[in-house]
Amino acid sequence: MAVRAPQLHLTLRSFCLGAFVFLGRALEEGDDLPFAFEEHVQRGGPALYEYRPLVRTFIESRASALAGREDARIALDELLREPAAAIFARAHAGSRPSEEQALFRTILVSLLISTAESCGGFDWDDTSFERAYAELEGSLFGTERAYAAVAPLVGISVVTQVELGDGIRIRAAATGELAHHWPEAQGLLPPDFGREVDRYCVLELERGLEAGEEPPDAPAELADAVSAIRLATAAPVAAGPVLFERLDWRPFGIRPVLP
């Protein structure tokens, strides 16, 4: 695929290459790369076992050090000059983040994680980077974007997904779906979420956005949905305490849910 923004491609590739060297050196100096041990059962055959490096965790824990590197600064400067990246600069990535912090988390860290996961670690592979970068360009310069917001929902349980209208639904939370995009999610969930019969659902808003269109006011829309559920069921339903936003399957922010 032809690169639409050659200078952006160059600076982001340089950032990822530099990060691979930095993270690889950390491993050489004794840091441990955590692994997941997964069993794949075959029907009529022996089970296969896979060691999968948890590069996301390794990268996230060193994000501050990566952000301080010169190649990260150059990449952020280039992203700030790119109008198509403006929506990601307004991401709610933390407590009142700067544009640089939002871009670093939503674009640079996400691109680095995608590349490293495809590589299976920190042995560089051009094809893996080009694939991850192509997905990023598709998001930046595409005519549509996919927005979603997910909030834990307690006080109610459902057997199947329930559509509430206008892109809002109640469904069971998939195992690990929040932690996959937001490593800090575990500390932000309601007590016993995922372990009690009335604490395993999420309230989800999905919306397609035209290029340049602002994301919806998810806290307000989900708060209205909770009010409607309470009126319809008389159940002690509550959402939150926070909602998790993503844009084109990239972490976009964490925001408080309105009471």
Side-chain angles (χ1 to χ4, degrees), residues 51-247:
Y51 283 97
R52 182 169 56 85
L54 300 178
V55 295
R56 176 182 294 272
T57 302
F58 193 79
I59 291 170
E60 289 278 3
S61 66
R62 291 158 180 80
S64 295
L66 291 169
R69 292 174 51 83
E70 181 63 20
D71 47 24
R73 178 69 265 165
I74 294 171
L76 286 171
D77 287 343
E78 189 63 31
L79 284 168
L80 287 168
R81 286 192 288 269
E82 176 51 64
I87 190 170
F88 290 98
R90 296 190 292 276
H92 310 281
S95 178
R96 296 186 178 181
S98 66
E99 290 188 349
E100 290 88 349
Q101 290 170 329
L103 287 171
F104 178 75
R105 177 179 173 83
T106 59
I107 293 185
L108 293 188
V109 172
S110 291
L111 178 64
L112 179 59
I113 289 172
S114 295
T115 303
E117 287 181 338
S118 181
C119 291
F122 301 110
D123 292 326
W124 182 262
D125 176 64
D126 273 325
T127 301
S128 295
F129 171 77
E130 295 301 335
R131 186 184 304 115
Y133 180 80
E135 292 176 358
L136 172 61
E137 273 209 348
S139 176
L140 290 177
F141 302 113
T143 58
E144 294 183 349
R145 291 192 172 101
Y147 170 87
V150 179
L153 189 67
V154 301
I156 195 171
S157 60
V158 296
V159 177
T160 60
Q161 181 171 293
V162 178
E163 297 291 339
L164 303 180
D166 201 21
I168 300 176
R169 64 186 59 87
I170 303 172
R171 62 170 176 82
T175 302
E177 71 168 291
L178 297 177
H180 177 73
H181 291 290
W182 301 274
E184 64 271 47
Q186 192 59 44
L188 300 173
L189 300 177
D192 296 321
F193 186 77
R195 294 192 292 271
E196 298 291 340
V197 68
D198 63 344
R199 289 175 176 253
Y200 70 88
C201 290
V202 294
L203 187 61
E204 180 178 55
L205 163 65
E206 284 191 330
R207 196 72 49 80
L209 304 178
E210 299 292 332
E213 183 180 355
E214 289 295 319
D217 185 354
E221 293 201 30
L222 293 188
D224 289 344
V226 169
S227 297
I229 296 168
R230 289 171 180 162
L231 288 172
T233 65
V237 177
V242 298
L243 61 84
F244 302 88
E245 296 176 295
R246 66 175 188 264
L247 189 64

Side-chain angles (χ1 to χ4, degrees), residues 20 67 69 190 234 254:
F20 265 56
R69 292 174 51 83
I254 300 175

